[in-house]
Amino acid sequence: MPNQGKELNQVMKLKLQRIKELEEMGLEPYGRKYDKKNNIIDIMDMFEEEKEVVVKTAGRIMAYRRQGKASFGHVEDTTGKIQYYIRKDEVGEDAYEIYKKMAVGDFIGIEGILFKTHTGEITIRIQNFELLSKNMRPLPEKFHGLTDVETRYRQRYVDLIMNREVKETFLVRSKVINYIRKYLEKRNFLEVETPMLHPVAGGATAKPFITYHNTLDMELYLRIAPELYLKRLVVGGYERVFEINRNFRNEGMSTRHNPEFTMMELYQAYADYNDMMNLTEEMVSNLVKDMFGKESIEYEGVEINFGKAWKRITMIDAVKEYTGVDFNVIKTQEEAKKAAEELGIEIEEKMSYFKILNEIFEERVEKKLIQPTFITEYPKELSPLSKSKKDSDEFVDRFELFMYGREIGNAYSELNDPIEQKKRFMAQLSEREGGDDEAHMMDDDFVQALEYGMPPTGGLGIGIDRLVMLLTNASSIRDVIFFPHMRKK
């Protein structure tokens, strides 16, 4: 687009000329502290018909209409947008000459009196103003806005300027995190911080990012989960801990996956996965009601009800309900493989019986779990950190929470038997040596921690990004992360 580039250069040259002219007038195009007294959202409620109300605010000019000796415009801050009106004979000729050198995108501080125009719009009649920062690069066209998705993600700062609903999405995100933090603190959970650089990658089945520490002369791994460190704190005597943390996984990217993402993880001594189910249902249901004043929200045209009792069903029963395949009857790997192939699912020759069960669940069941649903009783083979189900050597006390076909949370009764934990790690190590680079590494120090004794404990992780996606009707995880990762241009 050579013409567009030429036009951009011309506009920027004009803006640079305006900056030079302001400097020649003895002004700072990039101002200093401004005593902003009123947010725009508050100003809208301050207007009184019979009273002169003086306000002082600041923000970015988003509309600029100069008409001879008087001008209208709009200024916007984080809270909202308001119209202003400025007259040459009221601010003075010198001040108006400065104003004439301003434009859309500039930051301005304004002080004036509120009035209503003949169309009923609350407006600030400017008495004094101050240039706070000159814009040098033009904003996207007024009527076309910033619509290119890739540009929006790469230049989030422009996206936030042009699209107010994007600002609202991230305000909701902040409120969600704040609500969860306060909810847990009220229940005596202690917020903690654990390392981001791990000598051993663990706490989840995932491929880590690898880095290197020069002084220690050793490889380190960016955290894939904080689990093993949080459980060390339970060993140390903290009975309720949580962390709202960044995790990093060197895996594929999609509308639901970003290489770094935010999780809330908590651990509660003397609890189990049933307690975690109850806590999750209560916390998220109350969060929705608190934020929206109702128990249901609409996501991509589908109503999701958080008020009704959430469905709880085992993985085997869910597979049977949604596919007709009954793993209570199917007992061998060969039978499982045949059942999967009849459903049109390709199965690798070496895939185990329980991995086939999980594959069928992921391929044919997950997407049908629209309303909040707890899937319970996962195979032990897939859950190396979970306590075995009582009277079962094949399944564990674990659940995953699904909404709109997406995993939102994961929890279990934590394995606190150091002998069994070491066996599980050894089995994972064998898988890793067999080529599975997502399998857990052997963490001798964690086993040693368990040898000192960890009480029965329930643990829970909730994906903040995916939860916010639901609550803001966002179709991609990139819409709820300020600066998602992108390929190089």
Side-chain angles (χ1 to χ4, degrees):
M1 302 280 184
N3 287 338
Q4 284 186 1
K6 189 175 180 181
E7 289 173 12
L8 175 64
N9 287 337
Q10 289 173 343
V11 172
M12 289 185 69
K13 280 182 181 178
L14 180 61
K15 286 179 172 289
L16 285 168
Q17 179 62 33
R18 292 284 179 265
I19 290 171
K20 185 178 179 182
E21 290 168 2
L22 287 164
E23 288 173 337
E24 288 172 351
M25 295 168 71
L27 295 169
E28 287 186 293
Y30 301 97
R32 301 179 185 274
K33 176 181 174 179
Y34 186 78
D35 185 20
K36 179 180 177 180
K37 296 185 182 298
N38 310 108
N39 286 325
I40 288 173
I41 194 171
D42 299 322
I43 291 173
M44 305 303 282
D45 296 327
M46 292 169 65
F47 175 77
E48 295 183 34
E49 290 281 1
E50 308 299 326
K51 186 178 178 183
E52 185 174 279
V53 178
V54 178
V55 297
K56 189 175 183 182
T57 191
R60 187 190 293 271
I61 296 174
M62 294 302 292
Y64 181 95
R65 303 183 299 280
R66 190 154 53 84
Q67 301 164 329
K69 298 179 180 180
S71 302
F72 279 95
H74 279 96
V75 63
E76 183 175 301
D77 70 2
T78 301
T79 66
K81 182 169 67 174
I82 193 169
Q83 182 171 257
Y84 65 80
Y85 176 64
I86 182 169
R87 289 182 59 88
K88 180 178 179 179
D89 59 2
E90 291 179 357
V91 299
E93 187 171 339
D94 290 345
Y96 200 70
E97 282 301 308
I98 294 169
Y99 178 76
K100 284 162 62 176
K101 298 185 186 302
M102 298 180 69
V104 168
D106 293 351
F107 280 89
I108 188 173
I110 57 179
E111 186 173 8
I113 300 165
L114 293 183
F115 75 101
K116 269 189 181 178
T117 63
H118 67 277
T119 60
E121 186 171 357
I122 295 173
T123 304
I124 302 172
R125 191 182 193 103
I126 293 181
Q127 296 174 311
N128 300 293
F129 74 90
E130 191 173 323
L131 170 62
L132 301 178
S133 183
K134 199 82 180 75
N135 161 279
M136 208 173 86
R137 183 176 289 270
L139 299 179
E141 290 180 51
K142 177 181 175 184
F143 295 106
H144 294 94
L146 185 66
T147 55
D148 179 73
V149 173
E150 183 168 332
T151 303
R152 287 181 55 209
Y153 295 150
R154 287 189 188 279
Q155 299 179 10
R156 181 67 83 188
Y157 40 90
V158 184
D159 190 24
L160 292 166
I161 294 169
M162 300 305 299
N163 297 314
R164 184 143 208 81
E165 66 275 12
V166 176
K167 274 197 183 82
E168 293 300 323
T169 291
F170 288 100
L171 288 173
V172 169
R173 181 188 174 99
S174 179
K175 289 176 183 177
V176 167
I177 293 172
N178 193 43
Y179 182 93
I180 290 173
R181 177 175 280 118
K182 288 182 176 178
Y183 178 93
L184 295 174
E185 286 175 346
K186 283 180 183 177
R187 285 152 184 81
N188 299 317
F189 282 88
L190 175 71
E191 184 171 12
V192 298
E193 292 179 306
T194 61
M196 303 276 274
L197 292 172
H198 293 186
V200 177
T205 303
K207 186 177 180 180
F209 285 95
I210 304 172
T211 186
Y212 189 83
H213 193 284
N214 291 331
T215 301
L216 294 176
D217 189 24
M218 64 184 288
E219 281 190 343
L220 292 169
Y221 304 89
L222 289 181
R223 174 170 65 193
I224 57 176
E227 177 168 341
L228 302 186
Y229 282 95
L230 289 171
K231 287 198 279 196
R232 284 174 170 94
L233 297 181
V234 178
V235 170
Y238 291 106
E239 294 182 359
R240 298 186 180 206
V241 293
F242 78 98
E243 183 171 8
I244 297 172
N245 57 72
R246 302 293 283 179
N247 291 339
F248 306 85
R249 298 183 184 178
N250 197 358
E251 299 171 343
M253 296 172 64
S254 71
T255 56
R256 287 183 278 176
H257 297 90
N258 195 64
E260 60 176 301
F261 58 96
T262 303
M263 287 282 291
M264 185 287 299
E265 276 203 34
L266 67 84
Y267 291 86
Q268 180 179 339
Y270 313 112
D272 67 6
Y273 84 123
N274 288 301
D275 296 303
M276 297 298 99
M277 265 191 274
N278 295 335
L279 183 152
T280 304
E281 184 169 348
E282 180 187 85
M283 179 172 67
V284 177
S285 294
N286 288 348
L287 164 63
V288 170
K289 195 170 182 180
D290 182 79
M291 292 194 66
F292 302 103
K294 55 185 180 179
E295 295 179 330
S296 296
I297 62 167
E298 187 175 289
Y299 183 76
E300 296 191 343
V302 177
E303 184 181 9
I304 299 178
N305 191 318
F306 293 85
K308 293 180 180 178
W310 295 6
K311 185 174 183 177
R312 303 182 181 195
I313 183 172
T314 68
M315 178 185 279
I316 282 181
D317 287 345
V319 168
K320 181 180 178 181
E321 179 177 328
Y322 291 100
T323 71
V325 176
D326 188 354
F327 271 78
N328 289 309
V329 175
I330 293 172
K331 297 297 183 182
T332 67
Q333 188 265 359
E334 193 58 40
E335 290 172 334
K337 185 172 182 289
K338 182 180 178 183
E341 289 171 348
E342 287 175 355
L343 291 171
I345 301 171
E346 287 188 23
I347 298 297
E348 295 178 15
E349 201 62 41
K350 62 179 181 179
M351 190 175 284
S352 70
Y353 171 89
F354 287 113
K355 285 187 176 179
I356 294 172
L357 166 64
N358 186 64
E359 189 75 10
I360 291 174
F361 171 78
E362 289 183 349
E363 291 292 325
R364 295 291 182 267
V365 179
E366 277 190 12
K367 60 188 175 186
K368 298 176 182 177
L369 305 175
I370 303 302
Q371 300 304 319
T373 303
F374 292 113
I375 299 295
T376 66
E377 296 186 20
Y378 273 68
K380 184 171 77 171
E381 181 182 348
L382 307 176
S383 313
L385 300 169
S386 305
K387 186 184 286 289
S388 295
K389 183 176 171 58
K390 193 173 183 179
D391 303 322
S392 172
D393 194 45
E394 296 177 331
F395 294 92
V396 295
D397 284 340
R398 172 187 175 188
F399 74 76
E400 285 192 353
L401 170 62
F402 290 87
M403 299 178 192
Y404 200 78
R406 298 168 183 171
E407 179 203 340
I408 303 296
N410 184 22
Y412 26 90
S413 301
E414 303 298 332
L415 178 59
N416 59 342
D417 177 345
I419 298 172
E420 175 63 18
Q421 184 63 82
K422 187 167 186 176
K423 285 181 185 175
R424 303 263 193 101
F425 277 150
M426 293 302 290
Q428 288 283 301
L429 194 59
S430 295
E431 291 193 20
R432 194 171 187 84
E433 290 170 352
D436 185 354
D437 56 6
E438 293 187 353
H440 281 70
M441 294 181 177
M442 182 68 193
D443 192 331
D444 292 309
D445 182 75
F446 178 66
V447 174
Q448 179 176 288
L450 292 183
E451 289 172 349
Y452 281 94
M454 185 176 87
T457 299
L460 165 69
I462 291 180
I464 297 296
D465 308 302
R466 290 185 184 177
L467 180 59
V468 174
M469 283 176 65
L470 282 170
L471 299 182
T472 59
N473 199 22
S475 59
S476 170
I477 195 169
R478 294 181 178 186
D479 293 326
V480 299
I481 295 175
F482 270 128
F483 302 105
H485 290 282
M486 307 284 289
R487 291 185 187 277
K488 288 182 180 180
K489 278 189 176 181

